[in-house]
Structures are given as structure tokens and as C-alpha cells.
Amino acid sequence: MPEPALPSTASACGIVVGGVGGTGVITIGQLLGMAAHLEGKGVVTQDAGGLAQKGGATWSYIQIADTLDAIYTSKVDTAKADLVLGCDAIVAASSTTLAVMQAGRTFVALNSHATPTAAFVHNPQWQFPEGGCEAAIAATVGAQALGVFDAEQLAIQALGDSIYSNLLLLGYAWQKGRVPVSKAALLRAIALNGVQVTNNQAAFEWGRHLCR
């Protein structure tokens, strides 16, 4: 399938990956950072976690520019995200993630899969607020700047494991022309990471094909 034009990195391109700790959120940030490094671009990454490394809300902030001099902050500032990968809908719709979004600038690739939170332990009647999450994000960036699908279910169907859902999201966003590094660099970064290389590269390609 045809490859999209990549975003300009004359000024910093801000990417925020938000999800649940232990599901590969930080890995996506590392892959983007390595891909940018392979292309000789300037890159700054910063990771932030909630109360728990596993199970708590986790974010990876990535800034990519032609040169490091074009990046002025250590993390993506308020309303400065060009892309948000919402690996978990509740985290993506949290005040922390919504704050980096801006209508007319930010595109959000959202995993709609329902992941129970700690509230379920205390309240068996708890229900996943899927529609509310999507509505909050759409109200912030506009419906046209939001791509939604159940990445976990698709990862299981295509590759047999939900762990590949974040790579699906990345591939989808890349094919939308929202990721400022080449496909070759990303696939090379996945190879250098050395973990389930074939399946992770396949997940990226499956995500691209979701844009058809």
C-alpha cells in the first residue's frame, strides 16, 4: 500500500503515548526515539508513571525535530501534542492526556478495548465508560481527528496476543501520516529491540492496513 508523506520536523513534533503500565507504553516511546536517532534527528523522550509501574497510568512523551536545538522543553507541553496514541481509553481521556491535545493540531489514535480499573475491585457494578472517553476526546480535538478501534481484539485475531495492540496503533497512526520517522527506521528500531521482532513488525503492518 502507498506510504504517506511524513510530518515536518523543522520544529518539534510532539507525541504522547498513554496507557497502562506493563503493556509496552514505554517501549513505544523507546522505538520512536531509536527510529529518530537512526535518521539522525534530534529527539527527547521522557516517561511518567502513576502510582504503580504495572497497572497504573503511564505516559511516554516524545519530541522529534530535525535538530536537537529545535526542541526547547523536556516533555510535550500543554496543547502541544501532534499525535496521541491512546493505548488505554481511560488514560487517554484523563485530564493529564487531554491537556496536551489541541483542536486543529492533535490527532488521536485510540484503543477502544475495555480494560477494568481498580474501581472494579470495590464496585462489581462498575462499567467501562467507553462512550464517555471517546466523547471527551472528540470534544477536545474534533471527531475528524480521532481514529478509534479495538486494537487488543485485532491484535489477538491477527497475531494471537493482545500485547501487540500498541504496535497496531503505531502502524495505524504512521499510515495516517502522523509519525515523523520513516517506516524503514521504525522496522529497524523494532529489530534492534530484539523482542518478538517478526510479530512486532507484523503488528505495525497490520495497523497500517487498518487505514484502508
Side-chain angles (χ1 to χ4, degrees), residues 16-20 25 57-60 84-89 91-92 97 166 169:
V16 177
V17 187
V20 176
V25 170
T58 301
W59 294 268
S60 185
V84 171
L85 296 179
C87 304
D88 175 83
V91 176
T97 315
N166 294 353
L169 279 177

Side-chain angles (χ1 to χ4, degrees), residues 19-116:
V20 176
T23 62
V25 170
I26 304 304
T27 298
I28 296 297
Q30 292 172 341
L31 291 175
L32 287 165
M34 176 55 72
H37 174 73
L38 290 171
E39 293 190 331
K41 294 180 176 177
V43 58
V44 172
T45 64
Q46 182 174 320
D47 303 320
L51 296 177
Q53 289 182 330
K54 284 201 172 186
T58 301
W59 294 268
S60 185
Y61 299 87
I62 307 99
Q63 296 181 85
I64 300 171
D66 288 343
T67 66
L68 194 57
D69 290 341
I71 302 174
Y72 301 109
T73 60
S74 60
K75 109 184 208 188
V76 179
D77 280 340
T78 300
K80 292 296 180 66
D82 297 284
L83 170 65
V84 171
L85 296 179
C87 304
D88 175 83
I90 292 178
V91 176
S94 69
S95 58
T96 298
T97 315
L98 291 175
V100 303
M101 302 179 192
Q102 180 184 162
R105 176 171 184 162
T106 310
F107 179 82
V108 181
L110 180 67
N111 175 17
S112 64
H113 187 80
T115 301

